[in-house]
Amino acid sequence: MIKVVASANGIVGIGAALDVLKRGGSAISAVEAGIKLVEDNPLDHTVGYAGLPNLLGEVELDASIMDGRTRAAGAVGAFKDYPYAISVARKVMEELPHCFLVGEGARRFAREMGFEAKELLTDVAEEKWKRMMDEHAPELSRGRDAYMDRIRDFVRLTRDPERPNETVNFIALDSRGSLCCGVSTSGWAWKYPGRVGDSAVIGAGNYADDRWGACACTGRGELAIRAATARSVVLYLSQGMSLPQAGERALEDLYQLEDAYFGPVSLIVMNPRGEHVAMSIADDMEYVYQDGEMMEPKKLGRHHVPRPGDRS
Ligand code: ASP
């Protein structure tokens, strides 16, 4: 059985990921191929090129990849100037004795590995940033330097209800029965510079273990970091829970966390038999999947797991 499960915005890359698997390629190559197309998509303002910037108008990317067979992992955080964060994360996994590079070190490594730099801030994304700043923090869009010492005051903008809430998640199962999980994002729009979210943190937004399954998250990354959500799901699977039980239990763990910015978290999970679930604290989230027999990907609603106070 070969199969790919992805967040809804993965629809532009799921065919390419499945093609890799059909040709006998690895789950790792499938995840990378699928995510790169999302990173390239100029209409997606939550991932890679055209992603929304931080408070200072700079695009900073987070990405991670984990091989369920070896449990090797690679990640980059607060990573600027290169569009394919997932490919650089893969290189970290394969070429370095490390799992995680951030900021300037990650850029240096990308350059050293021969990746091509590119301006990531598109006119549309810049326009959205400018509009937001003009309305809520005109000081930042006019003269950034004068306010460099107190931009923390503006982090309240991360509560912006219009803020797009996505990130791309891919999980692939290859013909050898191996799982790979990949996540890539431009993170919370208008975030504090240098903020790294769950997408780059192995165990938080990404985890894969061929013995039990793989899980990837989107949504309020600070919660997934605090509760080690992706790793929790896999651990619950290892303890004998079913896929829906493990996912629900991990989302319920988040309800316990006090957080003035509480936002929905969503996840996708697949086990080594190719069974999968997708669930969300929000009620309108979708996901996509496609296996080797299907001609087209299927888009479905996620199972809704509301917070107790939100249940009607
Ligand atoms: N999880 C991502 C982050 O916290 C953002 C998102 O999925 O909306 O950076």
Side-chain angles (χ1 to χ4, degrees), residues 51-280:
L52 293 179
N54 65 19
L55 271 175
L56 297 179
E58 306 157 342
V59 181
E60 288 184 322
L61 306 178
D62 294 340
S64 64
I65 192 160
M66 185 161 185
D67 174 3
R69 188 176 68 81
T70 59
R71 264 80 83 202
V76 289
F79 174 56
K80 292 186 202 165
D81 299 338
Y82 290 84
Y84 301 121
I86 195 68
S87 300
V88 182
R90 179 177 181 176
K91 287 287 186 203
V92 171
M93 173 171 81
E94 292 175 346
E95 304 292 335
L96 290 177
H98 306 311
C99 291
F100 198 174
L101 294 182
V102 298
E104 185 45 41
R107 276 173 71 210
R108 167 189 290 270
F109 177 67
R111 192 166 56 240
E112 205 177 308
M113 294 308 301
F115 286 94
E116 227 172 277
K118 175 172 174 172
E119 173 58 64
L120 301 181
L121 186 67
T122 60
D123 292 347
V124 175
E126 187 173 20
E127 195 43 47
K128 286 177 188 286
W129 173 77
K130 279 219 172 91
R131 224 180 306 129
M132 194 65 196
M133 296 302 139
D134 282 346
E135 195 176 331
H136 298 281
E139 304 92 326
L140 288 182
S141 61
R142 280 203 301 268
R144 288 182 212 168
D145 291 349
Y147 296 88
M148 280 303 267
D149 56 340
R150 61 172 196 86
I151 67 166
R152 67 178 183 278
D153 293 350
F154 301 107
V155 169
R156 64 175 190 278
L157 294 178
T158 57
R159 301 185 82 147
D160 166 21
E162 299 302 319
R163 192 190 66 84
N165 197 334
E166 273 281 12
T167 280
V168 66
N169 291 167
F170 264 75
I171 304 176
L173 174 66
D174 67 27
S175 54
R176 290 171 289 280
S178 276
L179 290 162
C180 174
C181 187
V183 182
S184 183
T185 189
S186 49
W188 275 63
W190 341 128
K191 62 194 171 188
Y192 196 95
R195 176 265 190 189
V196 175
D198 63 317
S199 309
V201 178
I202 295 298
N206 180 340
Y207 203 78
D209 183 332
D210 276 5
R211 295 172 299 174
W212 317 109
C215 174
C217 305
T218 61
R220 171 108 172 105
E222 282 71 6
L223 292 177
I225 290 174
R226 289 165 64 194
T229 300
R231 170 71 176 136
S232 296
V233 169
V234 175
L235 197 65
Y236 292 141
L237 291 173
S238 78
Q239 291 173 346
M241 288 189 194
S242 66
L243 290 166
Q245 284 169 340
E248 279 189 33
R249 176 61 207 279
L251 291 181
E252 283 164 14
D253 291 344
L254 303 178
Y255 306 151
Q256 313 296 322
L257 305 179
E258 282 184 25
D259 180 20
Y261 295 81
F262 195 99
V265 171
S266 306
L267 41 89
I268 56 172
V269 192
M270 177 150 65
N271 69 17
R273 290 184 297 285
E275 297 157 343
H276 73 268
V277 291
M279 46 184 63
S280 180

